[in-house]
Amino acid sequence: MQWDDRAIILSARRLGENSGVIHLLTPQHGLYAGVDRGAFGKSKRGIYQPGNIVAAHWQARLSEHMGMLSCELVHATTAYLLDDRRKLAALTSAAMLAEKMLAERDSQPAVYEAMETLLEALCHGGDWLADYVRLEYTLLACAGFGLDLERCASTGQAHDLIYVSPKSGRAVSRFAGQPYHERLLALPAFLLLAPEKEAVEHAQILDGLRLCGYFLEARVFAPRGIPVPAVRARFVKVLQPKESVIGEVAQ
């Protein structure tokens, strides 16, 4: 059993002195794990960093085995981000969420495409914050917990949608949601539109993170009895306005 595919490194964990268990995301084979006996040796230093794009070869005697993995570096994403802690935090959070949320060996081309879009924006310019939120939104859908943002849950209308019900995960219009707005989640407009060249306002980014964060916790991680990965909380924290962070310290 073997395959070759393009892949994004999600994590690498030591197994012995030089070996490592590698988790990666591929467009054709989905989330996969394999062992590289030289992953932490000198000759492969720097290859297995989260976000790096590689040409991967996996093989095993039987399909159900973890298998052996060998990779050649295609694009060293991490090298572009070493001086930007916000981008590094976004990359680390995205990789961890993908590893924890996706079913292994289940092809998820939409997630792979969203991840590559984020990596491109992080390294070469683009609205990477909006792309990060879109990735979380896509992960929720591909994990079986997608939000229904096409029509208002109450009126059925497809315009003026500005809220999301925390109970149903469905959009709510301005008129229908006004009496209950304090109990609803804000729906940032950019999630309803195709990506544009102009950067999304920071307030909308934070609304998008709150929206996805609520359903990540309530629908994905809490039912499994585990917390949302701490790396996501750290990423969200570095995006908060300084005044907000100072206020939290004072409390």
Side-chain angles (χ1 to χ4, degrees), residues 26 56 186 233:
T26 72

Side-chain angles (χ1 to χ4, degrees), residues 152-155 157 163 172-181 184:
C152 175
S154 178
T155 66
Q157 70 184 60
Y163 302 113
V172 179
S173 67
R174 185 186 308 272
F175 175 78
Q178 186 57 40
Y180 321 100
H181 70 276
L184 300 174

Side-chain angles (χ1 to χ4, degrees), residues 10 36 76 147 149 182 188 195 206 239 248:
L10 300 181
D36 186 333
L147 308 181
L149 306 182
E182 293 182 353
L206 296 180
L239 297 181
E248 290 179 8

Side-chain angles (χ1 to χ4, degrees), residues 206 210 236-237 239-251:
L206 296 180
R210 291 188 196 100
V236 173
K237 186 173 183 178
L239 297 181
Q240 299 297 328
K242 291 183 178 180
E243 295 80 3
S244 175
V245 175
I246 292 173
E248 290 179 8
V249 173
Q251 292 175 10

Side-chain angles (χ1 to χ4, degrees), residues 1-2 58-68:
M1 303 297 298
Q2 60 181 321
W58 179 93
Q59 62 180 7
R61 189 169 64 85
L62 297 174
S63 60
E64 59 265 28
H65 290 176
M66 178 176 286
M68 304 303 297

Side-chain angles (χ1 to χ4, degrees), residues 30 60 87 100 106-108 137-138 142 160 196 204 211:
K87 289 185 176 182
K100 297 297 184 182
D106 182 15
S107 179
Q108 296 285 4
Y137 177 75
T138 302
C142 291
D160 204 22
E196 298 180 354
Q204 285 199 45
L211 175 65

